[in-house]
C-alpha cells in the first residue's frame, strides 16, 4: 500500500470524517457505462482475459498511484502503479470496483481488454476541516476530541433548538427535552455532570461569537455543528468551557450566479401514551363498589383531554438568496415559523432575518466578513401546564356551572377556565451583529480582528380577568382583575484580535502559531410590576396604575441591574512533522470581575499529541487500513457560570420600620457574605483517542477514553455568626469526577449505482462520582437532591455521599405488605419491618436502615442511523436508546394509592391494589428506564431536474417522529425523563424523576419540501 499521506497530501487530502461522531464518506458512482450483462451461462463459457488500463484525475489528467481495482464478487484486486497503470484478470461483463481515498468510487463494466478510468475528486473530502475555536484544522491534524456534524446528518423533525438537530448524533453528548412544548429548551450535558450550582450548559460559539444566542438560528441556516468535548481543545476558551464548547457555523454565500432556495415543513402532533386514569364510567363503578369515597356529580368529563389542542398545526418557511463573485459573496435568509404545542394556548411565532456578506480586497489579502441577524418571537405561555391537576380530578364533575359559567372550587384550579380567562405571553427580540477582518500581512502571517454585539430583550405580560378564578378567590380584592408586566435586557460585547503565523519548513515541518486577546462585557437589567383590584377588563396589563392595590400601597415594583467583564490573553501552537507526528499546546490567561479580590486571574493550559500511524513505512503493506491516528491530550478549563457580585458584600432592603420621628422608612443591611477568595471551578481532563478508516474506506470511526475531575466546586455553605455577617457563604469546596468510553462508527454497507446503504452508530458509557463536598473549612458528608413533591412530605429522592456516584436513589428498601396492607421495609439486618421502626438517619450510616436503591444516570447510550437511497428515493431510519438506569414513577406513587380521593390510575386496583397505607417513597416505585426507540423515519424523493430551465433541485419528504418505544417502563416516555444534572430542577424536571404532570408525549408527522432555482 503506498504512503498516501506522505505522497498524496496535496492532491487528495484527508477524507471527510468526524472525530467521535462518525460521518460516512459521501461516495457516488460516476461515469458508469450501463450495459446488460450476458447470461450467466455465457459468462461461464468465456475465457478469462487480461484487462489493462490507466487511472487518472478527471480534472487534471494526473496519473493516480495506489488506486484499488477489484473484480466485484471475487478476491482479485490490484493497485495502480506510479504511472497510474494497472493489469487485472477479468471476463467481459465483470464489474470493476475502483476506489481511492479522496475520490468518488466508480463501477466499470468490462467490455474489452482496455479500461481507462478517470476518477472524480471529491472536493468535500479533500478539504474537510473542523472548527476548533479561533480557526479551523484539517481532520487528519486534529489532536483533541472533536465531533463534527454537518447539515446532511441533521435530524429532520423540525428543530426548535439547534441541539435538537444533533440529538443522538454525538457520542457523549446528552440532549434531554421535556416534551414537544415549543416554549421549553433542552438540557445538555457533555460527558457527565460537572458542577453542583455552577453553569452546566456548554458554551455556544456561533460564527465566532462567544456566548452566541441559539434563538437566532434556524435549522436551514446552519452549515455544521462542531463539539469540543475534551479539555485539550476547549482550553482555548478558558473559564467558559468547563461544560464543553459547541461551535455552530452558518451557511455563507459562494461565488456564482444567484441561488434562491426555499424550504418548508408542516407538522402535526398527536397525543401518544397519555396517563392511564379511570374514565368517568369506571370511576362511578368504583364509587358504587365502595372502592372510592367521592361524590358522583353526574357528569362525564375528560378534564385531561379538554386541555389538548387536537387542531395543532405547525409550519416553517425559510427563503434564502445567495451568490456573488470571486471578490464578493453574500447570503440572506428570511424565516417564519409558527409552532403549536399539543396543549391549548401554547405556541410560538417567530420571524428571523439573517444576512452574511464577504468582501475581499487588496489582491485578496484583505477579507472582510459581516453577519447580521435578528429574531422576533411571540410566545404564548398560558397553556402547557395543569396536566396533573386535570388528570386527577373527579371525572364526574364538570368545568361549568348549570348557568354556563365556569365552575370553581378553592381546593383545585379550573385549568380549562384559565385558558379563556387569563393571558400570559412573552414578546422577545434578539439581535446580533458581528464582523471579522482578516489581513495577510505577508506570506504566512495573518492578522484578524473580530467584534460582536448581541442584544436580547423581552417583555412578559399577563392578565387575569374579573371572572377568572384567581380574581374571584382573591381575599384582598375579590372580583378585581390582576395584571403584571416585566421586562429584561441583556447586552453582550466582544472584541478579539488575533495574529496567526503559518510556516512550512523544508517540506517536513508544518508550524502554526496563534496569539490573541479577548475582551467581553455583559450587562443585564430588568424590572417588574404587578397590581390588583382592576374594576374592568379593558386595560389588561397595559395600564397598571389603574388597579386599586397601587392606591392602597399594596402593589409590587422591582428593578435590578448588574454586569461583568472578562478579559484574556491566549495562544496556541500546532506543529506537524512529516505529516506523521503532531503536537498542540494552548495557554489562556484570563481574568473576570466575578472572581474574588484575591483570585482575579487564572491560567488554563492544555497539550495534545497525535500520531498518524498509517503514514509510517511499516504500515504500507497493511492494505486494509486506510488511515489510523492515535491521539492523547490533557487540558484545564474553568467555570464562571455563577451570579454577578457573588464574591462581594452587597446591600439589601431590611424592611420598613418606625423611626423616632414616627415615620416608616426602609432599612438596609448586608445580604451577602463577601468572599475575596472566590474563584472559578477548574476541570482537569485527560483524553486518549483513536481515529481510523478501514477496508477501502468502507468503515470509519473513532474511539475515545476520558477521565476528568472538577475541583473547587461552587456551592453555598453554612457559616457561623459571628464572625460572619450572614449564615451562609458562596465558596469553592468539593470535587467531582467522571470517566467513560465513547465510540463512533460509520459504515458503507452497500454502494451500488442505484442503491446505497450507509450506517452510523454511536455508543458511550459513563461513571460520574461526587468525590468530596468538604475541605479544611467546611465539612459536608452528603447532599440531597431531587425533590419528590406531591402528597406527603417525602423529601428528596437522591442522597449523594462523598465518594459515591451521582444520581443514586437513596431510601427505604421495599419488603412487601403485611396482612393489613401496611408497608414493610428491610432494616439493616435484612428483616421486614413496619415503617415506624425504620431508622431513617442519613448521618449515622452504621445504624441507619436507609440504602442505595438504584441509579438515575443511564450507563449506556446508543444511536443507530441507517441511510438508504434507491435511484431518486432516500430513506433514513434513526434509532437510539438508553440502558441500565432507573426512573422514579411519582405518578404511580401519588395516584396508584387509594388514599387519594380524586381520580386514580387503573393500576391502583391491579398492580398497586395491596396498598392500604399512606404515601411512601421506596424502590417499590423505581422501574427500569431502559428503552430503545425508532425515533425518526424520513422518506424523501428528489426530482430529476437536469433539463429544467428554472429549477435546480426539488425534494419532497415525509417524516415520522417518536414512532416506536420498546421499554418496560409503565409511566411517561422514559426518553423525556431528565438524564442530566444532579437532581436540581431544569425546565420543570429533575434527574430520574418522572413528574406527575409531564407535558404530554406526542407522535408527530411532518411533510417537507426543499427546492432551489
Amino acid at each position: 500500500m503506498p504512503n498516501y499521506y506522505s505522497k498524496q497530501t496535496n492532491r487528495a487530502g484527508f477524507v471527510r470524517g468526524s472525530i467521535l461522531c462518525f460521518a460516512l464518506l459521501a461516495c457516488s458512482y460516476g461515469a458508469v457505462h450501463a450495459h446488460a450483462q450476458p447470461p450467466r451461462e455465457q459468462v461461464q463459457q468465456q475465457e478469462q482475459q487480461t484487462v489493462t488500463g490507466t487511472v487518472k484525475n478527471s480534472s487534471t489528467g494526473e496519473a493516480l498511484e495506489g488506486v484499488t481495482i477489484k473484480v466485484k464478487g471475487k478476491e482479485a484486486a490490484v493497485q495502480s502503479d506510479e504511472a497510474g497503470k494497472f493489469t487485472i484478470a477479468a471476463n467481459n461483463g465483470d464489474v470493476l470496483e475502483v476506489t481511492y481515498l479522496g475520490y468518488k468510487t466508480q463501477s466499470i463494466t468490462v467490455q474489452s481488454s482496455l479500461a481507462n478510468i478517470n476518477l472524480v475528486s471529491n472536493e468535500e473530502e479533500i478539504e474537510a476541516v473542523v472548527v476548533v475555536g479561533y480557526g479551523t484544522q484539517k481532520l487528519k491534524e486534529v489532536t483533541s476530541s472533536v465531533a463534527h456534524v454537518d447539515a446532511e446528518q441533521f435530524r429532520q423533525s423540525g428543530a426548535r433548538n439547534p441541539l435538537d438537530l444533533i440529538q443522538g448524533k454525538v457520542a457523549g453528548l446528552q440532549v434531554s427535552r421535556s416534551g414537544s412544548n415549543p416554549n421549553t429548551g433542552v438540557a445538555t450535558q457533555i460527558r457527565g455532570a460537572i458542577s453542583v450550582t455552577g453553569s452546566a450548559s456548554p458554551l455556544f460559539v456561533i460564527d465566532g461569537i462567544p456566548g452566541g444566542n441559539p434563538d437566532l438560528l434556524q435549522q436551514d441556516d446552519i452549515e455544521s455543528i462542531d463539539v469540543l468535548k475534551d479539555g485539550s481543545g476547549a482550553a482555548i476558551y478558558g473559564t467558559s468551557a468547563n461544560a464543553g464548547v459547541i461551535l455552530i457555523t452558518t451557511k455563507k454565500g459562494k461565488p456564482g450566479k444567484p441561488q434562491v432556495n426555499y424550504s418548508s415543513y408542516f407538522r402535526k402532533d398527536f397525543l401518544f401514551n397519555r396517563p392511564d386514569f379511570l374514565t368517568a364510567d369506571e370511576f362511578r363503578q368504583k364509587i358504587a363498589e365502595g372502592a372510592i369515597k367521592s361524590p358522583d356529580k353526574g357528569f362525564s368529563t375528560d378534564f385531561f383531554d379538554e386541555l389538548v389542542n387536537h387542531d395543532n398545526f405547525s409550519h416553517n418557511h425559510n427563503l434564502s438568496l445567495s451568490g456573488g463573485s470571486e471578490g464578493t459573496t453574500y447570503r440572506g435568509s428570511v424565516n417564519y415559523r409558527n409552532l403549536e404545542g399539543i396543549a391549548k394556548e401554547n405556541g410560538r411565532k417567530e420571524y428571523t432575518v439573517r444576512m452574511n456578506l464577504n468582501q475581499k480586497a487588496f489582491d485578496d489579502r484583505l477579507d472582510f466578513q459581516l453577519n447580521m441577524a435578528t429574531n422576533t418571537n411571540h410566545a404564548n405561555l398560558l397553556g402547557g401546564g395543569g396536566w396533573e391537576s386535570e388528570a386527577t380530578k373527579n371525572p364526574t364533575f364538570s368545568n361549568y356551572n348549570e348557568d354556563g359559567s365556569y365552575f370553581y372550587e378553592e381546593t383545585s384550579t379550573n385549568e380549562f377556565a384559565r385558558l379563556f380567562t387569563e393571558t400570559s405571553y412573552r414578546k422577545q427580540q434578539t439581535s446580533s451583529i458581528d464582523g471579522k477582518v482578516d489581513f495577510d500581512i505577508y506570506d504566512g502571517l495573518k492578522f484578524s480582528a473580530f467584534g460582536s454585539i448581541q442584544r436580547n430583550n423581552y417583555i412578559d405580560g399577563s392578565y387575569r380577568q374579573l371572572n377568572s378564578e384567581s380574581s374571584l378567590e382573591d381575599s384582598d380584592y375579590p372580583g378585581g382583575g390582576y395584571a403584571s408586566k416585566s421586562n429584561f435586557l441583556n447586552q453582550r460585547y466582544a472584541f478579539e484580535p488575533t495574529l496567526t503565523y503559518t510556516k512550512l519548513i523544508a517540506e517536513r515541518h508544518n508550524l502554526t502559531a496563534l496569539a490573541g486577546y479577548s475582551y467581553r462585557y455583559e450587562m443585564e437589567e430588568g424590572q417588574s410590576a404587578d397590581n390588583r383590584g382592576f374594576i374592568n377588563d379593558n386595560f389588561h396589563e397595559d395600564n397598571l396604575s389603574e388597579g386599586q392595590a397601587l392606591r392602597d400601597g399594596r402593589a409590587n415594583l422591582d428593578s435590578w441591574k448588574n454586569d461583568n467583564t472578562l478579559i484574556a490573553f491566549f495562544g496556541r501552537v500546532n506543529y506537524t512533522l512529516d505529516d506523521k507526528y503532531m503536537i498542540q499546546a494552548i495557554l489562556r490567561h484570563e481574568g473576570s470581575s466575578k472572581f474574588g479580590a484575591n483570585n482575579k486571574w487564572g491560567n488554563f493550559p492544555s497539550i495534545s499529541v497525535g500520531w498518524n500511524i498509517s503514514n509510517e513505512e511499516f504500515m504500507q503493506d497493511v492494505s486494509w487500513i486506510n488511515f489510523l491516528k492515535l491521539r492523547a491530550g490533557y487540558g484545564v478549563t474553568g467555570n464562571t457560570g455563577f451570579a454577578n457580585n457573588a464574591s462581594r458584600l452587597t446591600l439589601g432592603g431590611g424592611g420598613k420600620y418606625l423611626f423616632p420621628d414616627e415615620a416608616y422608612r426602609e432599612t438596609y443591611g448586608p445580604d451577602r457574605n463577601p468572599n475575596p477568595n472566590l474563584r472559578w471551578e477548574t476541570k482537569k481532563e485527560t483524553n486518549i483517542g483513536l481515529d481510523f478508516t478501514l477496508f477501502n474506506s468502507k468503515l470509519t470511526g473513532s474511539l475515545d477514553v476520558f477521565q476528568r475531575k472538577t475541583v473547587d466546586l461552587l456551592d453555598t455553605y453554612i457559616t457561623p455568626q459571628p464572625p460572619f455577617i450572614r449564615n451562609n457563604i458562596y465558596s469553592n469546596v468539593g470535587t467531582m469526577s467522571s470517566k467513560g468510553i465513547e465510540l463512533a462508527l460509520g459504515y458503507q454497507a452497500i454502494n451500488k449505482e442505484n442503491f446505497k446503504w450507509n450506517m452510523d452508530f454511536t455508543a458511550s458509557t459513563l461513571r460520574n462520582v461526587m468525590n468530596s463536598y468538604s475541605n479544611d473549612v467546611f465539612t459536608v458528608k452528603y447532599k440531597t437532591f431531587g425533590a419528590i413533591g406531591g402528597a406527603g412530605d417525602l423529601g428528596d429522592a437522591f442522597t449523594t455521599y462523598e465518594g459515591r456516584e451521582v444520581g443514586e436513589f437513596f431510601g427505604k428498601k421495599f419488603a412487601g405488605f403485611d396482612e393489613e396492607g401496611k408497608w414493610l421495609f428491610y432494616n439493616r439486618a435484612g428483616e421486614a419491618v413496619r415503617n415506624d421502626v425504620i431508622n431513617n438517619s442519613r448521618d449515622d450510616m452504621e445504624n441507619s436502615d436507609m440504602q442505595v436503591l438504584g441509579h438515575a444516570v443511564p450507563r449506556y447510550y446508543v444511536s443507530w442511523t441507517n441511510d438508504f437511497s434507491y435511484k431518486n428515493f432516500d430513506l433514513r431510519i434513526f434509532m437510539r436508546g438508553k440502558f441500565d438506569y432507573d426512573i422514579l414513577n411519582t405518578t404511580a406513587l401519588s395516584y396508584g394509592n387509594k388514599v387519594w380521593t380524586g381520580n386514580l390510575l387503573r393500576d391502583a386496583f391491579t398492580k398497586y391494589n395491596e396498598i392500604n397505607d399512606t404515601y411512601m417513597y421506596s424502590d417499590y416505585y423505581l422501574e427500569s428506564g431502559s428503552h430503545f426507540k425508532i425515533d425518526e423515519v424520513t422518506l424523501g424523493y428528489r426530482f430529476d431536474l437536469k433539463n429544467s430551465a428554472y429549477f435546480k433541485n426539488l425534494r419532497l419528504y415525509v417524516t415520522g417522529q417518536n414512532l416506536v418505544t420498546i421499554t418496560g417502563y409503565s409511566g411517561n416516555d422514559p426518553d423525556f425523563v431528565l438524564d442530566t444534572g444532579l437532581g436540581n430542577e431544569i425546565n420543570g424536571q429533575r434527574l430520574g424523576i418522572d413528574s406527575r404532570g409531564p407535558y404530554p408525549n406526542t407522535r408527530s408527522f411532518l411533510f417537507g419540501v426543499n427546492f432551489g432555482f
Side-chain angles (χ1 to χ4, degrees):
M1 178 179 177
N3 188 333
Y4 175 79
Y5 284 102
S6 62
K7 298 180 182 179
Q8 303 290 340
T9 300
N10 295 327
R11 290 183 292 167
F14 178 50
V15 296
R16 186 180 183 90
S18 103
I19 305 301
L20 293 175
C21 174
F22 58 82
L24 301 178
L25 294 176
C27 299
S28 61
Y29 291 102
V32 177
H33 304 283
H35 290 268
Q37 287 189 351
R40 182 179 178 185
E41 294 79 1
Q42 181 179 343
V43 173
Q44 291 175 337
Q45 293 172 4
Q46 292 176 348
E47 293 183 1
Q48 197 171 56
Q49 62 179 332
T50 299
V51 178
T52 61
T54 304
V55 186
K56 297 181 178 180
N57 183 307
S58 63
S59 59
T60 66
E62 178 185 18
L64 297 178
E65 176 191 5
V67 178
T68 299
I69 302 96
K70 182 180 183 298
V71 178
K72 184 177 179 181
K74 300 180 182 179
E75 295 296 325
V78 298
Q79 290 185 332
S80 59
D81 60 18
E82 293 182 0
K85 297 184 180 298
F86 70 93
T87 301
I88 191 169
N91 296 324
N92 281 344
D94 282 348
V95 176
L96 300 182
E97 292 184 333
V98 186
T99 57
Y100 191 40
L101 201 62
Y103 286 76
K104 295 183 179 181
T105 300
Q106 287 195 24
S107 295
I108 305 297
T109 302
V110 176
Q111 296 177 333
S112 67
S113 60
L114 183 64
N116 291 324
I117 302 169
N118 292 315
L119 283 184
V120 178
S121 171
N122 190 325
E123 293 298 328
E124 276 193 339
E125 294 175 3
I126 293 173
E127 301 301 326
V129 295
V130 293
V131 181
V132 292
Y134 302 104
T136 60
Q137 278 186 292
K138 293 181 180 179
L139 280 168
K140 66 174 182 178
E141 297 175 350
V142 172
T143 55
S144 58
S145 182
V146 183
H148 177 82
V149 186
D150 58 32
E152 292 183 355
Q153 297 171 282
F154 291 163
R155 297 182 58 182
Q156 302 294 312
S157 53
R160 156 75 180 92
N161 183 290
L163 292 183
D164 289 332
L165 298 171
I166 60 173
Q167 185 180 24
K169 300 289 185 178
V170 177
L173 171 65
Q174 284 83 54
V175 179
S176 297
R177 182 178 282 283
S178 59
S180 58
N181 188 334
N183 291 315
T184 58
V186 296
T188 60
Q189 182 174 278
I190 299 176
R191 294 182 165 181
I194 50 91
S195 182
V196 178
T197 63
S199 173
S201 174
L203 171 69
F204 284 91
V205 180
I206 302 172
D207 286 332
I209 300 178
N213 193 327
D215 282 340
L216 286 168
L217 297 169
Q218 310 299 325
Q219 66 181 59
D220 295 303
D221 291 329
I222 300 176
E223 180 72 28
S224 64
I225 299 176
D226 295 275
V227 182
L228 307 185
K229 297 195 289 183
D230 74 337
S232 65
I236 195 72
Y237 289 104
T239 60
S240 304
N242 242 27
V245 182
I246 297 177
L247 304 110
I248 300 176
T249 303
T250 61
K251 294 178 180 178
K252 307 294 191 299
K254 298 178 181 179
K257 62 181 181 180
Q259 304 286 326
V260 179
N261 289 281
Y262 170 78
S263 62
S264 68
Y265 66 75
F266 305 87
R267 186 178 67 208
K268 177 76 174 178
D269 286 295
F270 297 90
L271 190 63
F272 179 57
N273 190 31
R274 61 172 285 179
D276 193 20
F277 282 84
L278 298 174
T279 66
D281 289 339
E282 291 169 337
F283 194 84
R284 283 193 187 89
Q285 183 180 350
K286 294 301 180 183
I287 292 175
E289 295 171 356
I292 293 179
K293 295 179 175 60
S294 291
D296 180 357
K297 292 293 186 177
F299 298 96
S300 294
T301 308
D302 188 342
F303 292 103
F304 187 96
D305 190 70
E306 291 201 354
L307 298 184
V308 175
N309 177 17
H310 292 286
D311 297 325
N312 73 87
F313 184 72
S314 299
H315 51 103
N316 175 84
H317 308 271
N318 197 87
L319 180 66
S320 67
L321 172 66
S322 63
S325 62
E326 291 298 327
T328 305
T329 59
Y330 61 87
R331 184 181 188 274
S333 67
V334 179
N335 179 274
Y336 167 73
R337 60 179 172 180
N338 184 354
L339 307 179
E340 293 187 353
I342 195 67
K344 291 177 180 176
E345 298 300 318
N346 171 228
R348 185 182 185 91
K349 294 181 180 180
E350 295 192 19
Y351 308 85
T352 303
V353 177
R354 175 175 289 275
M355 191 195 77
N356 163 260
L357 176 67
N358 284 73
Q359 177 66 54
K360 294 182 179 180
F362 302 116
D363 296 326
D364 293 344
R365 293 177 62 190
L366 178 68
D367 190 345
F368 173 72
Q369 180 181 128
L370 177 67
N371 296 296
M372 293 186 291
T374 185
N375 171 279
T376 302
N377 69 74
H378 186 174
N380 189 347
L381 305 177
L382 182 63
W387 303 103
E388 177 187 5
S389 170
E390 300 306 276
T392 59
K393 282 182 177 178
N394 183 331
T396 68
F397 280 52
S398 173
N399 276 320
Y400 300 93
N401 295 310
E402 291 184 0
D403 62 0
S405 61
Y406 293 115
F407 170 74
Y408 300 134
E409 60 175 350
E410 294 187 356
T411 58
S412 67
T413 300
N414 188 330
E415 297 288 348
F416 176 78
R418 281 190 62 250
L419 302 179
F420 305 99
T421 59
E422 298 182 17
T423 60
S424 178
Y425 63 82
R426 171 169 292 178
K427 296 178 180 179
Q428 183 176 19
Q429 182 172 26
T430 307
S431 302
S432 75
I433 179 171
D434 66 89
K436 183 180 181 183
V437 175
D438 294 321
F439 182 71
D440 292 326
I441 300 174
Y442 63 84
D443 187 26
L445 183 63
K446 181 173 70 175
F447 170 78
S448 300
F450 171 85
S452 67
I453 300 174
Q454 297 183 83
R455 179 183 173 90
N456 177 28
N457 67 284
Y458 58 77
I459 296 175
D460 288 347
S462 67
Y463 183 73
R464 302 169 191 171
Q465 296 176 8
L466 275 61
N467 67 335
S468 69
E469 187 168 7
S470 171
S471 296
L472 292 173
E473 295 180 355
D474 182 69
S475 58
D476 295 324
Y477 300 95
Y482 168 88
S484 70
K485 208 163 191 176
S486 64
N487 60 63
F488 171 81
L489 171 65
N490 175 275
Q491 296 183 111
R492 297 181 180 184
Y493 305 87
F495 175 65
E496 297 183 327
T498 60
L499 196 64
T500 306
Y501 179 70
T502 303
K503 182 69 174 179
L504 178 63
I505 305 172
E507 301 296 327
R508 297 185 61 199
H509 310 275
N510 198 335
L511 176 69
T512 301
L514 169 76
Y517 168 79
S518 177
Y519 170 84
R520 302 185 209 165
Y521 174 75
E522 179 181 13
M523 182 278 296
E524 56 185 21
E525 59 181 316
Q527 64 183 42
S528 62
D530 64 79
N531 198 2
R532 275 193 179 274
F534 292 88
I535 61 174
N536 63 63
D537 294 325
N538 295 331
F539 298 123
H540 299 282
E541 69 282 355
D542 298 323
N543 196 348
L544 287 178
S545 63
E546 292 303 310
Q548 184 62 38
L550 179 64
R551 297 183 176 93
D552 296 340
R554 305 177 71 175
N556 296 309
L557 180 66
D558 188 27
S559 65
W560 52 273
K561 181 179 181 178
N562 57 65
D563 64 355
N564 69 84
T565 303
L566 182 149
I567 61 175
F569 303 89
F570 57 90
R572 178 174 62 210
V573 176
N574 293 87
Y575 170 73
T576 303
L577 173 62
D578 288 336
D579 208 20
K580 298 178 184 178
Y581 315 110
M582 297 152 289
I583 185 170
Q584 174 179 272
I586 295 173
L587 177 63
R588 185 176 177 107
H589 182 60
E590 189 168 83
S592 172
S593 63
K594 288 186 176 183
F595 303 156
N598 300 333
N599 287 297
K600 286 297 183 185
W601 291 89
N603 294 315
F604 303 92
S606 79
I607 188 167
S608 57
V609 296
W611 177 23
N612 280 334
I613 303 173
S614 53
N615 282 1
E616 297 289 354
E617 292 295 330
F618 62 80
M619 292 293 293
Q620 301 313 300
D621 293 329
V622 185
S623 60
W624 58 277
I625 296 179
N626 304 103
F627 175 65
L628 183 64
K629 178 177 69 178
L630 178 66
R631 48 185 167 75
Y634 172 82
V636 178
T637 55
N639 186 357
T640 58
F642 54 89
N644 296 325
N645 301 313
S647 66
R648 299 172 178 171
L649 175 67
T650 56
L651 297 179
K656 291 182 174 64
Y657 291 89
L658 182 64
F659 277 59
D661 61 357
E662 297 186 352
Y664 282 91
R665 293 187 177 90
E666 181 66 57
T667 60
Y668 296 91
D671 63 0
R672 189 198 310 268
N673 283 320
N675 184 358
N677 297 315
L678 188 68
R679 57 191 178 274
W680 56 95
E681 295 178 339
T682 301
K683 177 167 63 68
K684 305 173 182 179
E685 182 170 10
T686 301
N687 190 97
I688 299 175
L690 188 70
D691 303 323
F692 51 86
T693 302
L694 311 175
F695 310 121
N696 259 345
S697 302
K698 290 179 70 71
L699 178 66
T700 62
S702 61
L703 176 67
D704 278 87
V705 179
F706 69 89
Q707 183 171 1
R708 64 197 332 183
K709 179 178 286 188
T710 305
V711 300
D712 295 332
L713 292 175
L714 294 161
D715 205 351
T716 301
Y717 289 83
I718 297 175
T719 54
Q721 296 175 274
F724 290 93
I725 302 171
R726 310 292 294 186
N727 65 354
N728 61 74
I729 192 171
Y730 199 58
S731 187
N732 299 93
V733 181
T735 304
M736 184 184 297
S737 65
S738 63
K739 58 183 178 181
I741 303 173
E742 299 163 353
L743 174 67
L745 297 173
Y747 182 63
Q748 289 184 343
I750 298 175
N751 191 4
K752 295 185 177 181
E753 181 178 2
N754 290 326
F755 180 68
K756 295 178 176 62
W757 175 20
N758 297 326
M759 289 187 290
D760 292 345
F761 177 81
T762 67
S764 63
T765 182
L766 175 73
R767 188 172 188 267
N768 215 163
V769 174
M770 180 59 70
N771 302 88
S772 172
Y773 280 121
S774 307
N775 63 9
D776 55 353
V777 178
F778 302 102
T779 300
V780 178
K781 293 182 179 180
Y782 63 87
K783 289 183 75 72
T784 65
F785 303 95
I788 298 171
D793 184 11
L794 301 179
D796 293 340
F798 306 109
T799 301
T800 306
Y801 286 88
E802 291 186 327
R804 298 292 305 183
E805 285 192 66
V806 168
E808 287 185 332
F809 289 105
F810 189 86
K812 293 171 286 195
K813 184 74 172 176
F814 174 68
F817 299 98
D818 64 12
E819 294 179 354
E820 299 176 4
K822 305 301 181 183
W823 293 99
L824 297 175
F825 302 105
Y826 288 110
N827 63 17
R828 59 188 175 278
E831 303 165 333
V833 298
R834 283 200 177 191
N835 180 63
D836 57 359
V837 296
I838 286 289
N839 186 326
N840 294 309
S841 174
R842 288 177 170 82
D843 297 300
D844 181 12
M845 289 309 297
E846 291 185 2
N847 297 306
S848 176
D849 295 323
M850 308 284 274
Q851 58 184 289
V852 174
L853 306 176
H855 54 94
V857 179
R859 302 286 193 193
Y860 309 100
Y861 292 85
V862 299
S863 72
W864 182 24
T865 305
N866 289 268
D867 283 305
F868 304 90
S869 65
Y870 175 71
K871 295 185 177 180
N872 290 356
F873 287 96
D874 59 85
L875 174 67
R876 172 176 292 182
I877 302 175
F878 174 54
M879 297 168 281
R880 59 189 177 89
K882 307 172 189 177
F883 301 95
D884 193 9
Y885 73 110
D886 302 297
I887 295 176
L888 176 62
N889 189 338
T890 61
T891 302
L893 188 156
S894 295
Y895 305 113
N897 190 326
K898 294 184 288 294
V899 172
W900 174 249
T901 58
N903 203 358
L904 292 163
L905 292 170
R906 288 193 177 94
D907 283 346
F909 303 96
T910 53
K911 182 178 179 179
Y912 307 117
N913 191 49
E914 289 184 76
I915 303 174
N916 185 26
D917 205 344
T918 188
Y919 305 102
M920 285 287 176
Y921 161 57
S922 75
D923 61 330
Y924 181 71
Y925 295 108
L926 286 182
E927 302 180 39
S928 171
S930 295
H931 67 275
F932 188 75
K933 63 168 44 185
I934 301 176
D935 197 26
E936 191 172 279
V937 175
T938 298
L939 176 64
Y941 182 82
R942 191 177 302 277
F943 289 85
D944 187 353
L945 302 175
K946 294 179 180 179
N947 298 322
S948 173
Y950 302 101
F951 293 96
K952 64 183 180 71
N953 63 71
L954 173 61
R955 178 176 179 264
L956 304 177
Y957 65 94
V958 291
T959 296
Q961 187 182 18
N962 197 23
L963 298 177
V964 177
T965 302
I966 302 171
T967 183
Y969 181 65
S970 64
N972 188 36
D973 187 333
D975 187 51
F976 290 152
V977 177
L978 192 67
D979 61 340
T980 64
L982 300 174
N984 300 319
E985 184 171 314
I986 303 174
N987 293 329
Q989 295 180 291
R990 296 172 177 85
L991 171 69
I993 300 176
D994 187 0
S995 60
R996 290 166 299 280
Y999 196 89
N1001 188 14
T1002 63
R1003 176 179 289 157
S1004 62
F1005 294 93
L1006 179 148
F1007 171 77
V1009 57
N1010 302 317
F1011 68 81
F1013 50 90

